[in-house]
Amino acid sequence: MTKMRWHGNLASSRTLAHRFADIGRTACGAWRVSAIFVIGLVWANYATAQPAADVGSNAEGPSPACAADAGEMPVQALYGIWQVRLGDIDARVALFAHPEYEGSVRGRMTQGGRVAELAGDIDDEGTLTLDESANGRDISAVWSATFVAGGCGRLFEGTRRDAQSDTTQSVMLRKTGDGR
């Protein structure tokens, strides 16, 4: 905005009408940005609030969107939010497309205050393999979970092997949202 110098009752650089027009455009622009932001929040809330389909709820068999086996499941079906059970500990995992390797996933696990990076893929037999890194450089654990038949690609069960101690614990991943 230019600085106004008053000379009597008139502004030297612009008229008052132009100043009010500028304020209106600024307020209108802010309103548009706010409206877009609110619409985005409502859409995101709606997308994640949709109930997950019950496994086996369709008496006539799996729905067309339900992968009957791992060979029918595209990697994109892994993208989204997963509830994870590591032994007796609950965690949350978000998976998305790996930016460098097509057909792979990258993500993040949060459990309490702990955060770990994840990267991996699924093979044709339905084994989901994820490398876990607590520091973003070194592998701290390896997950190997199998596609559960009848779970429509929303359920995997297997083990998590700690890289340092070589101990294993059970792991179950249940998809809870698409993460849109």
Side-chain angles (χ1 to χ4, degrees):
M1 236 184 215
T2 59
K3 201 171 203 176
M4 288 185 9
R5 294 189 186 166
W6 288 92
H7 298 283
N9 289 335
L10 300 173
S12 64
S13 62
R14 299 175 76 176
T15 67
L16 231 42
H18 286 112
R19 296 269 176 211
F20 283 117
D22 286 344
I23 291 169
R25 279 194 294 273
T26 303
C28 185
W31 179 85
R32 284 184 189 136
V33 170
S34 297
I36 291 169
F37 179 74
V38 169
I39 290 168
L41 286 176
V42 169
W43 180 81
N45 188 35
Y46 174 78
T48 58
Q50 297 302 309
D54 289 335
V55 174
S57 64
N58 186 350
E60 297 175 17
S63 67
C66 179
D69 62 41
E72 295 177 9
M73 187 174 154
V75 70
Q76 292 83 357
L78 295 174
Y79 304 165
I81 309 300
W82 297 78
Q83 182 65 36
V84 176
R85 184 87 172 156
L86 294 166
D88 60 352
I89 299 169
D90 289 323
R92 181 177 177 265
V93 166
L95 295 176
F96 48 89
H98 197 293
E100 298 169 18
Y101 302 107
E102 187 176 338
S104 296
V105 294
R106 181 180 265 177
R108 177 170 288 175
M109 176 185 69
T110 54
Q111 184 269 319
R114 181 173 167 258
V115 176
E117 301 296 319
L118 300 170
D121 54 21
I122 186 169
D123 65 20
D124 291 337
E125 286 77 41
T127 301
L128 173 64
T129 304
L130 295 171
D131 295 334
E132 176 186 328
S133 177
N135 63 12
R137 291 185 315 265
D138 305 313
I139 295 176
S140 52
V142 176
W143 302 22
S144 179
T146 306
F147 178 97
V148 175
C152 295
R154 301 179 70 85
L155 183 63
F156 288 82
E157 293 178 342
T159 58
R160 175 188 175 271
R161 184 179 52 80
D162 186 275
Q164 280 189 310
S165 66
D166 206 31
T167 58
T168 60
Q169 64 185 143
S170 63
V171 63
M172 183 193 65
L173 296 94
R174 181 179 303 275
K175 191 167 188 183
T176 60
D178 293 331
R180 290 182 235 177

